[in-house]
């Protein structure tokens, strides 16, 4: 039996295999008006194809808890009920294919109000239809970027409430997993790192203070997310800075706290919080970060980062480096990666009846 195609159970949820889809923004929602942030035909076709391809769990892209929390005006949102029904259309189909539907809920913090990456990707000012970003501290992401507003304590608690409301809507939309986006330099990750968090109040300074916001969001979401459904947390294991940044030791330390607060799996990525850093990329380059968390804590992990072929993914699971692999770009290239990998490894995967002639 292929390790990659063994089912995996978290709480009462069983995922049919360990080939999972990482959240990847499509920047394809309507930017304004009553349809702002609403998933449409592109999103349905995009996720449906990967479900038909045998993917065990799909995490829908970073979906903003508020209009001002979007990375771009074209991001998906989950701050109103119109958005819920559009997302429910996707979850209903994913379930017909045996795929577990999950969603990543997020707030972009100081990296909000940017353009689509294939157009420009840079900051979009208020005069061009953007908005003023906010952050733990008035520190821009990169030189020349707008200086974000420093969040007040009251505003921080309002955002915790927005994550709570988003989790409730995710449940109404039919999702079985919620992932909190604490990676890649967005708001939760900005609080974690001393590189971006220069506060001197209860949310800054010490490790305990810098993780306070993350744990408050976890607690608030866990309180409304059903006990039998798993909660994920995505983290950047390192800022890739030599000093004054978030580091792998911090990730291990936080992982233990997340487990205590009801998180069921850590989705381990890296980078995104400091501009201009050199990241030594290569096949599986982030897997060691996940493997360390798995070895040193009791929290299950998913590995990401240039995982592109079946044998590589199988080895990661079989060696105990991670409990699942989250594929990104490879699933953009090959929506049926799971079905092809099952054929190569002798695993069992769902194949739609309409596709049986291809097996």
């Amino acid at each position: 039996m292929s390790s990659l195609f063994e089912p995996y159970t978290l709480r009462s949820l069983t995922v049919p295999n360990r080939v999972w889809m990482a959240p990847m923004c499509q920047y394809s929602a309507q930017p304004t008006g009553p349809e702002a942030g609403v998933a449409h035909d592109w999103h349905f076709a995009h996720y449906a194809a990967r479900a038909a391809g045998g993917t065990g769990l799909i995490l829908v892209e970073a979906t903003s808890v508020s209009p001002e929390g979007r990375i771009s005006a074209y991001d998906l949102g989950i701050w109103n009920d119109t958005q819920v029904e559009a997302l429910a259309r996707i979850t209903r189909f994913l379930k017909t294919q045996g795929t577990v539907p999950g969603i990543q809920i997020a707030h972009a913090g100081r990296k909000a109000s940017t353009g689509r990456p294939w157009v420009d990707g840079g900051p979009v000012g208020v005069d061009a239809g953007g908005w003023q970003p906010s952050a733990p501290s008035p520190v821009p992401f990169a030189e020349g970027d707008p200086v974000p507003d420093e969040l007040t304590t009251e505003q921080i608690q309002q955002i915790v409430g927005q994550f709570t409301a988003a989790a409730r809507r995710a449940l109404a939309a039919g999702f079985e997993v919620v992932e909190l986006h604490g990676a890649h330099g967005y708001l939760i990750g900005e609080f974690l790192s001393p590189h971006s968090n220069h506060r001197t109040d209860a949310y800054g300074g010490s490790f305990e203070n810098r993780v306070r916001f993350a744990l408050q969001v976890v607690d608030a979401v866990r309180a409304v997310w059903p006990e039998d459904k798993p909660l994920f947390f995505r983290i950047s294991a390192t800022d890739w800075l030599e000093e004054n940044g978030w580091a792998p030791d911090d990730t291990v330390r936080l992982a233990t706290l997340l487990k205590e607060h009801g998180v069921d799996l850590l989705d381990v990525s890296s980078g995104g919080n400091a501009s201009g850093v050199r990241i030594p990329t290569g096949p599986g380059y982030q897997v060691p970060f996940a493997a360390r968390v798995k070895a040193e804590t009791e929290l299950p992990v998913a590995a990401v980062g240039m995982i592109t072929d079946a044998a590589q993914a199988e080895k990661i699971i079989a060696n105990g480096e991670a409990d699942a692999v989250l594929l990104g770009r490879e699933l953009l290239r090959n929506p049926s990666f799971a079905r092809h990998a099952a054929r190569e490894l002798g695993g069992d995967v769902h194949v739609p009846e309409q596709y049986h002639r291809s097996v």
Side-chain angles (χ1 to χ4, degrees), residues 132-153:
Q132 174 64 18
S134 58
S137 302
V139 180
F141 171 67
E143 185 177 350
D145 283 1
V147 177
D149 291 337
E150 180 172 289
L151 290 164
T152 66
T153 301

Side-chain angles (χ1 to χ4, degrees), residues 74-142:
Y74 299 89
D75 287 15
L76 289 183
I78 193 165
W79 64 80
N80 65 45
D81 292 342
T82 301
Q83 296 159 343
V84 169
E85 181 49 41
L87 291 167
R89 178 189 176 210
I90 295 172
T91 65
R92 287 192 293 267
F93 181 81
L94 266 55
K95 290 176 182 179
T96 68
Q97 302 305 302
T99 296
V100 173
I103 187 170
Q104 183 186 75
I105 56 176
H107 190 296
R110 67 179 181 173
K111 296 176 79 174
S113 192
T114 65
R116 289 179 288 184
W118 57 83
V119 177
D120 178 2
V124 176
V126 175
D127 58 348
W131 57 94
Q132 174 64 18
S134 58
S137 302
V139 180
F141 171 67

